Amino acid sequence: MKAKFEITDVFKLTGRGFVLSGNILEGSISAGDNITFDNKTRTIKGVEMFYKPTPIGQTGKQSNLVGLIISKEKTSMNEDTKEELLKSKGQIGIISK
């Protein structure tokens, strides 16, 4: 099953990695799923709602606003990747299981 995620912001949390914040438009999302946008696929390392880890984010679950952690800080991402992520605001990511 696929899900859709609207990216509203991108930021970096020290000690956590890069986070895509946004809204789940349909379906559900959990760690280990893949998100595709900008013709690139990235693995979701964690899902958070209200600043707390959650096993699954889904439409209709209190709030559709979630944070998707897509890389841990220990795995270095170059500046090109960081710039690509910043350009992703407003895009719709497709989630695959």
Side-chain angles (χ1 to χ4, degrees), residues 11-51:
F11 54 95
K12 184 177 180 180
L13 291 177
T14 303
R16 299 297 307 272
F18 288 94
V19 177
L20 303 175
S21 66
N23 299 295
I24 300 173
L25 302 176
E26 58 183 64
S28 62
I29 301 172
S30 57
D33 292 347
N34 295 309
I35 183 168
T36 302
F37 59 94
D38 283 342
N39 295 318
K40 292 188 180 182
T41 301
R42 296 165 176 90
T43 301
I44 298 168
K45 304 292 183 185
V47 179
E48 293 192 358
M49 293 177 74
F50 305 110
Y51 304 104

Side-chain angles (χ1 to χ4, degrees), residues 31-82:
D33 292 347
N34 295 309
I35 183 168
T36 302
F37 59 94
D38 283 342
N39 295 318
K40 292 188 180 182
T41 301
R42 296 165 176 90
T43 301
I44 298 168
K45 304 292 183 185
V47 179
E48 293 192 358
M49 293 177 74
F50 305 110
Y51 304 104
K52 294 180 182 177
T54 184
I56 191 168
Q58 60 191 25
T59 53
K61 187 176 180 180
Q62 293 182 351
S63 171
N64 296 343
L65 183 62
V66 297
L68 303 180
I69 301 167
I70 58 168
S71 79
K72 299 294 183 184
E73 194 165 289
K74 291 178 183 175
T75 58
S76 62
M77 295 181 78
N78 62 34
E79 290 302 312
D80 292 334
T81 303
K82 184 177 179 180

